[in-house]
């Protein structure tokens, strides 16, 4: 079965982007959230998160 990337409905804090990426990669979403937080300090991380929240569809 082919995996698809979705924003998580069950594992969300803001928009479900990190939860969805964690589920897609079979990684704990907390690790993805920490990486997003570190990228957020670079200035581009927040922009990438917002774009991902717009582009990635929500889980059905």
């Amino acid at each position: 079965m082919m995996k698809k990337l979705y924003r998580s409905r069950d594992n969300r804090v803001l928009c479900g982007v990190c939860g969805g990426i964690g589920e897609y990669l079979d990684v704990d979403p907390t690790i993805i959230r920490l990486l997003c937080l570190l990228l957020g300090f670079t200035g581009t991380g927040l922009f990438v998160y917002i774009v991902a929240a717009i582009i990635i569809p929500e889980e059905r």
Side-chain angles (χ1 to χ4, degrees):
M1 180 176 196
M2 188 173 169
K3 292 195 313 185
K4 292 192 176 188
L5 179 61
Y6 292 108
R7 288 185 290 138
S8 178
R9 284 184 172 204
D10 301 325
N11 203 351
R12 68 172 31 188
V13 174
L14 290 176
C15 296
V17 173
C18 294
I21 293 172
E23 290 171 5
Y24 181 78
L25 297 175
D26 287 330
V27 177
D28 186 14
T30 305
I31 295 171
I32 305 297
R33 287 185 186 106
L34 289 173
L35 290 173
C36 273
L37 181 66
L38 290 174
L39 283 175
F41 289 123
T42 65
T44 59
L46 182 61
F47 176 73
V48 170
Y49 187 88
I50 292 170
V51 169
I54 294 170
I55 292 175
I56 299 173
E58 189 167 1
E59 185 177 36
R60 297 177 200 148

